[in-house]
Amino acid sequence: YYLHLLKTYKSAEVKNFMLNIRETVSVLIDKEDATGIQEKAVFGDLDDPSNKLRDVLFYHRAIRAYWSGYTERCYYYSEKYMSISWQEVRFMKVQMEFYHGLNSIEKLRVRNKKHVKKNTEVLRNSISVMRNAAIHSDWNYANKLCLLVAEQQSLSCDHLNAIKLYDASIKSARKSGFIHEQGLACEKAGFYYKRYGAVHKALDYFKQARECYEEWGSSMKVGFIKKEIDSLNVSGS
């Protein structure tokens, strides 16, 4: 509908922006089975520093990579986005800090000494940005801050604080109506319990995550969580 309107009113820049959003939605819903754009034709030369559509593409590539579980790809495009100096959309930059921070935690779990310092800095900066954002808009960012700190605490094996913060993130996301981030917090809590061998607790959180992702409409994430639930049901039987 919106692309039809943009074609009617001939706004090429906004049309390309909307095409990129549609691509991201398609990846999250059906692993890009429904659509696919020729990015070079839409966004031009991505090596051209004067091309101001690059930040939109890098942002969405990072988001797609994160939700698809491609840690290195997410890191690469997050860094590419952060390196662009003209990030005019403040909201996008704060959102990218959130995903960059979460992604850095996955890299820290690998315990590759070569990248520990860099990823620790990324995480600390992400928490700092989210804490400041939450001061200005608790509704939008409190759940994100709680999830980042919960994941940080999980790395240091601070069980009580980690669980308290996972639950706080879930509650805050539910209150704000961010069903995908509610699902994400449930998913992270599920993996936390799974690492500690608490199968029943992990199942409980994974089932909550599945319900959230079903409501969100992401068959990709529903399928991913279903595999985790199935594997725990087998191991716990």
Side-chain angles (χ1 to χ4, degrees):
Y1 170 74
Y2 290 108
L3 289 173
H4 173 72
L5 287 180
L6 292 170
K7 183 178 180 180
T8 301
Y9 293 102
K10 296 180 173 55
S11 176
E13 183 176 343
V14 180
K15 177 184 176 181
N16 291 341
F17 184 83
M18 293 298 295
L19 279 169
N20 207 29
I21 292 175
R22 187 182 70 173
E23 190 81 355
T24 298
V25 170
S26 178
V27 168
L28 295 174
I29 292 175
D30 53 25
K31 297 184 180 178
E32 212 172 4
D33 289 338
T35 185
I37 60 174
Q38 297 297 319
E39 289 180 335
K40 186 172 183 180
V42 172
F43 294 97
D45 185 2
L46 298 178
D47 294 323
D48 180 4
S50 66
N51 182 356
K52 292 194 174 185
L53 287 175
R54 294 190 311 159
D55 61 338
V56 176
L57 181 59
F58 295 153
Y59 173 85
H60 281 275
R61 279 184 174 177
I63 298 296
R64 294 171 205 159
Y66 179 79
W67 284 100
S68 300
Y70 300 132
T71 305
E72 293 299 330
R73 189 183 302 177
C74 179
Y75 179 84
Y76 175 79
Y77 285 114
S78 295
E79 287 287 300
K80 293 278 278 187
Y81 177 82
M82 293 298 183
S83 70
I84 298 175
S85 60
W86 61 67
Q87 299 147 355
E88 297 173 358
V89 184
R90 175 67 179 170
F91 168 78
M92 287 174 59
K93 187 175 188 302
V94 176
Q95 286 288 108
M96 183 53 62
E97 288 284 1
F98 173 57
Y99 288 109
H100 201 17
L102 286 177
N103 193 66
S104 70
I105 291 166
E106 298 306 317
K107 290 174 70 66
L108 286 167
R109 291 197 198 284
V110 178
R111 300 189 184 281
N112 185 332
K113 293 182 179 179
K114 182 179 178 181
H115 303 297
V116 167
K117 183 178 180 181
K118 171 62 177 175
N119 286 295
T120 300
E121 289 175 356
V122 169
L123 177 56
R124 286 174 180 167
N125 184 66
S126 297
I127 290 173
S128 176
V129 169
M130 220 51 54
R131 184 168 283 119
N132 184 61
I135 291 172
H136 296 285
S137 180
D138 182 80
W139 183 270
N140 283 312
Y141 299 109
N143 70 297
K144 298 173 180 63
L145 174 61
C146 287
L147 185 54
L148 280 170
V149 179
E151 288 281 87
Q152 182 189 49
Q153 295 301 309
S154 76
L155 285 174
S156 59
C157 301
D158 188 339
H159 179 73
L160 291 178
N161 278 327
I163 291 305
K164 187 186 301 183
L165 287 161
Y166 283 126
D167 287 339
S169 180
I170 293 167
K171 182 179 179 181
S172 177
R174 184 188 301 118
K175 180 180 178 181
S176 296
F178 301 150
I179 194 67
H180 61 306
E181 291 174 358
Q182 181 184 338
L184 182 59
C186 291
E187 176 187 330
K188 294 298 185 183
F191 277 114
Y192 179 76
Y193 276 114
K194 181 183 177 181
R195 285 192 293 272
Y196 281 90
V199 174
H200 294 296
K201 276 286 190 179
L203 276 171
D204 180 50
Y205 280 102
F206 281 143
K207 288 176 181 177
Q208 291 181 57
R210 182 183 61 188
E211 290 175 4
C212 290
Y213 291 145
E214 285 174 345
E215 185 176 341
W216 189 30
S218 175
S219 60
M220 178 187 73
K221 291 301 294 183
V222 170
F224 172 76
I225 292 296
K226 186 178 183 300
K227 288 179 181 178
E228 290 297 330
I229 291 172
D230 290 345
S231 69
L232 286 177
N233 280 329
V234 170
S235 65
S237 59

